[in-house]
Amino acid sequence: MGGGIPLRTSDVCENTMTAHPATATRVGTGGPKEDGPEILEHIMGWVLVVVVAMLVTRLGLL
């Protein structure tokens, strides 16, 4: 009653290998480095959140 023809996995999946190896080296893009003081970044992030919250409440936007 299903009417469909059962397919084998080999009928559905093809070889997905590419010409690029998985261990290729990546080119640096000049993004942020991971060697900074994380606690300072964390504190400055929360300071920014508090300043924005104070600005929004003082301007009556909330």
Side-chain angles (χ1 to χ4, degrees):
M1 285 211 159
I5 300 173
L7 297 174
R8 296 186 313 254
T9 305
S10 61
D11 292 338
V12 177
C13 298
E14 293 183 10
N15 188 1
T16 58
M17 296 294 290
T18 63
H20 303 289
T23 59
T25 58
R26 296 184 179 178
V27 177
T29 59
K33 305 292 185 251
E34 297 294 330
D35 57 355
E38 293 180 13
I39 188 68
L40 179 62
E41 183 177 343
H42 193 76
I43 291 171
M44 292 305 293
W46 278 108
V47 167
L48 179 63
V49 167
V50 170
V51 168
V52 169
M54 287 177 9
L55 180 66
V56 166
T57 55
R58 294 295 287 172
L59 292 176
L61 299 175
L62 186 66

